[in-house]
Amino acid sequence: MTTTSFDPTSTPAWQQLKPLAADANSENITDYFNQNPNRHQDYALRQEGLYLDYSKNLVSDKVRQCLTALAEQSPLKEKMAAMFAGERINTTEDRSVLHTVLRDLDGDDHVVDGANLTQAIAAELDKMDRFAESVRSGNWTGETGKAITDIVNIGIGGSDLGPKMVCKALEQYAHERINFHFISNVDGAEINSTLKRLNPETSLFIISSKTFTTQETLMNAEAALNWYQSQAGMANAQNSKHFIAVTANPANAKKYGIADNQIFEFWDWVGGRYSLWSAIGLSIALCIGMDHFKRLLAGAKAMDDHFRTAPYGQNMPVILALLGIWYSNFLGAETVAVIPYCERMGLLPSYLQQLDMESNGKSVNAEGEPIDYDTGPIIWGQTGTNGQHAFFQLLHQGTRLVPLDLIATISDPLSNPEQHRALLGNLVAQSAALMAGESGEGIPSYKSYPGNRPTNVLLMDELSPYNLGSLIALYEHKVFTQGIIWNINSFDQWGVELGKKLAKSLLSDSASQLSGFDSSTQALMALIQK
Ligand code: F6P
């Protein structure tokens, strides 16, 4: 692993890209197609069930060549090896980054610092398997002997977004008897309205928290516990069959009173936003069954292998990362929109917000020095075609450059053939319209479309657990690659701590705590406290 500070802006490739960016402002994507009739093939990649068409980007052959050279001139190869080998690449927390090991079920044993991770993972998966099977079959009952009908995952951030997104995306595989609920926000109205609809005898609460210290999760767990205890007329119900914990801090879960055999563990080398592959995925396993959960892992593993072995020019995560760098650092794009043309994938944009923005929203490099180039973009989005009737106006005619990822599934057994054709037709039409635009003589300016707006089109053969696993891992490795090229630590999240600290101090009763705040903050608190 290299220890010298890497500055992407001083690489020959970066220097070559700068004048090419100036040229690109006067170039046209449609011209690239005119110059190369095979562009749709030359700028497309298939990786098993995923097909990426990145031909409609403002990227000439020369730019692509320089972007690939940028990856070559960066320490990507060695850092990738370091991550997979379990080196402590998360330096500010002195941790390995090994979520990839969670999905390497059939490979050689991973032994890191003398610990056999593969065995520990297998044991935990086994425990998840037995538990999920017993709840799903109805063998695991509540205290009054009734089968579970409602599972409530209480967690936030990585302990919520991944499982919630996957359970919704894969609802085709969901258990028929069991309803799934995800409670994250400390907004008590949310949990109260969910609890109102539940029967305590048949409800199961999964308290998911890597640290088991998160305010929102602990308050929601307390609300659930109080509700259950008052409904069931039972004390210390955290020790009952209705409360499960998933955590990397089992000591805290024990202290909380959860029964030992109902604590599912993962480890500090699994980052929160990379944790859906671990026991944090328990709600996924309960929802779609363990076999499907393992297919999700297998799909991610296939993407891991592709990422490790494919040359950069044919490497899907690397290509997506380089396109993002081109738009952010050279063409001035501030945001990336992710538009799944699939309602079931509607939570993907918010899942990717955490993955990308918590990972790469950094302004110092891995050595702690301030950097003077842009890093992670703002990720946003919503489903198509809904977005077309809301914000696509700006994408077509606004003043900002917004690269888009348009994502869909080629076949969808849950839809009607005609509607699915319409859905996909819309996706393809948007991609074409954004690129080609429409303007010219006789067309008033307000009806003109400048075009030349870039899109990636990502098609899955079908929305299976395997393909979804690959898609998520694709974005994980895209974010990793960008982090390496920007030379930042993509695996810490110190930026979220100050807000937590100030909230704690504001909520303390002491008036002296408040006096340290500005007058606006003090006045707002006074108003609230009244
Ligand atoms: O506040 C940010 C964060 O630490 C995320 O990184 C994490 O996914 C989330 O909070 C929840 O943390 P935990 O799983 O420890 O409750």
Side-chain angles (χ1 to χ4, degrees):
M1 192 166 98
T2 182
T3 48
T4 51
S5 182
F6 171 70
D7 177 357
T9 64
S10 58
T11 58
W14 192 284
Q15 293 306 322
Q16 276 174 296
L17 283 162
K18 281 203 293 197
L20 292 174
D23 295 347
N25 287 326
S26 57
E27 289 176 8
N28 221 293
I29 310 172
T30 40
D31 290 340
Y32 301 150
F33 277 91
N34 295 336
Q35 288 150 15
N36 175 8
N38 288 326
R39 185 173 165 95
H40 63 286
Q41 284 168 340
D42 293 349
Y43 284 70
L45 291 172
R46 177 170 274 286
Q47 163 54 27
E48 298 193 342
L50 300 192
Y51 180 79
L52 168 67
D53 174 353
Y54 67 101
S55 61
K56 295 196 195 79
N57 275 292
L58 195 48
V59 168
S60 64
D61 292 347
K62 181 72 189 156
V63 167
R64 183 170 65 169
Q65 201 185 321
C66 289
L67 285 170
T68 314
L70 177 63
E72 303 280 1
Q73 289 161 21
S74 79
L76 178 58
K77 200 167 170 206
E78 45 200 293
K79 294 281 179 164
M80 200 193 285
M83 174 173 74
F84 281 99
E87 286 184 32
R88 293 172 186 246
I89 60 168
N90 177 358
T91 47
T92 62
E93 295 179 323
D94 192 24
R95 286 179 185 160
S96 305
V97 174
L98 279 170
H99 50 277
T100 51
V101 174
L102 297 166
R103 46 221 196 195
D104 187 13
L105 304 187
D106 303 317
D108 294 338
D109 278 10
H110 292 266
V111 179
V112 176
D113 294 338
N116 189 322
L117 308 189
T118 307
Q119 281 173 11
I121 292 163
E124 212 53 35
L125 272 177
D126 217 47
K127 186 170 164 185
M128 284 168 73
D129 195 354
R130 280 181 273 116
F131 180 68
E133 189 39 46
S134 121
V135 172
R136 286 166 61 84
S137 66
N139 283 340
W140 179 280
T141 63
E143 294 292 328
T144 56
K146 293 189 180 162
I148 299 300
T149 59
D150 289 86
I151 295 179
V152 186
N153 186 80
I154 298 176
I156 197 163
S159 300
D160 165 70
L161 292 164
K164 184 165 62 180
M165 182 270 287
V166 172
C167 287
K168 184 166 164 57
L170 298 179
E171 71 185 27
Q172 179 183 354
Y173 303 88
H175 194 281
E176 282 187 355
R177 187 192 67 242
I178 308 174
N179 303 307
F180 286 82
H181 313 269
F182 289 86
I183 297 294
S184 51
N185 202 326
V186 74
D187 178 353
E190 185 64 10
I191 187 154
N192 288 344
S193 84
T194 302
L195 292 174
K196 246 187 226 162
R197 290 179 274 128
L198 301 185
N199 173 359
E201 291 180 276
T202 59
S203 296
L204 181 75
F205 296 93
I206 305 178
I207 308 170
S208 297
S209 175
K210 179 174 173 181
T211 54
F212 224 83
T213 59
T214 304
Q215 181 201 45
E216 292 90 332
T217 302
L218 294 182
M219 288 185 90
N220 278 322
E222 207 55 22
L225 182 62
N226 288 338
W227 170 84
Y228 179 81
Q229 293 186 150
S230 71
Q231 298 282 314
M234 184 184 193
N236 297 324
Q238 63 271 46
N239 194 245
S240 73
K241 291 173 79 184
H242 295 266
F243 286 85
I244 307 293
V246 180
T247 184
N249 184 354
N252 267 22
K254 256 184 220 180
K255 222 185 285 162
Y256 192 80
I258 308 286
D260 277 5
N261 66 329
Q262 288 167 216
I263 299 175
F264 292 80
E265 253 187 87
F266 64 112
W267 305 273
D268 71 354
W269 41 263
V270 182
R273 51 194 174 276
Y274 301 88
S275 63
L276 73 87
W277 320 103
S278 71
I280 286 290
L282 183 62
S283 46
I284 304 174
L286 284 158
C287 179
I288 64 173
M290 200 61 187
D291 288 349
H292 288 132
F293 182 68
K294 285 187 178 164
R295 291 297 292 158
L296 185 82
L297 299 181
K301 163 75 171 130
M303 186 54 72
D304 295 341
D305 291 345
H306 166 76
F307 180 52
R308 291 175 86 164
T309 56
Y312 293 159
Q314 278 133 50
N315 193 309
M316 233 188 239
V318 174
I319 292 286
L320 285 184
L322 293 172
L323 290 167
I325 287 176
W326 173 240
Y327 291 120
S328 283
N329 297 103
F330 296 93
L331 300 188
E334 296 268 316
T335 79
V336 174
V338 179
I339 317 290
Y341 277 71
C342 173
E343 274 308 297
R344 309 204 289 292
M345 291 182 72
L347 296 174
L348 185 68
S350 42
Y351 170 79
L352 292 179
Q353 276 177 337
Q354 189 201 15
L355 174 65
D356 204 319
M357 294 166 79
E358 208 172 64
S359 297
N360 285 346
K362 311 283 163 68
S363 52
V364 295
N365 67 15
E367 289 73 35
E369 301 150 350
I371 48 181
D372 59 2
Y373 45 86
D374 281 327
T375 57
I378 296 157
I379 306 291
W380 63 283
Q382 104 113 295
T383 54
T385 61
N386 291 358
Q388 291 174 203
H389 300 274
F391 51 79
F392 269 53
Q393 162 65 37
L394 180 149
L395 301 179
H396 283 285
Q397 289 188 319
T399 54
R400 295 167 198 281
L401 171 67
V402 183
L404 293 132
D405 285 356
L406 307 179
I407 304 171
T409 154
I410 295 176
S411 79
D412 187 352
L414 297 197
S415 185
N416 309 315
E418 226 173 288
Q419 283 188 268
H420 197 58
R421 245 187 106 236
L423 184 70
L424 297 187
N426 269 282
L427 179 155
V428 177
Q430 288 298 328
S431 174
L434 283 159
M435 177 182 78
E438 192 173 66
S439 56
E441 231 172 278
I443 303 181
S445 55
Y446 59 87
K447 280 191 172 175
S448 292
Y449 298 77
N452 217 21
R453 305 192 170 205
T455 52
N456 288 315
V457 173
L458 251 167
L459 297 178
M460 274 183 274
D461 289 345
E462 57 179 335
L463 185 44
S464 62
Y466 189 91
N467 288 343
L468 183 63
S470 291
L471 181 78
I472 300 168
L474 165 64
Y475 277 101
E476 284 181 351
H477 295 318
K478 170 198 166 181
V479 168
F480 172 82
T481 300
Q482 292 186 329
I484 296 303
I485 292 177
W486 287 321
N487 188 24
I488 54 180
N489 179 357
S490 299
F491 298 103
D492 60 11
Q493 56 286 318
W494 295 104
V496 299
E497 293 306 318
L498 179 61
K500 288 186 195 172
K501 192 170 87 184
L502 293 198
K504 208 183 229 176
S505 128
L506 275 178
L507 293 170
S508 78
D509 288 334
S510 134
S512 64
Q513 293 278 31
L514 213 53
S515 67
F517 284 92
D518 61 86
S519 60
S520 153
T521 306
Q522 291 192 38
L524 288 169
M525 285 308 286
L527 190 66
I528 292 164
Q529 273 154 4
K530 241 193 212 167

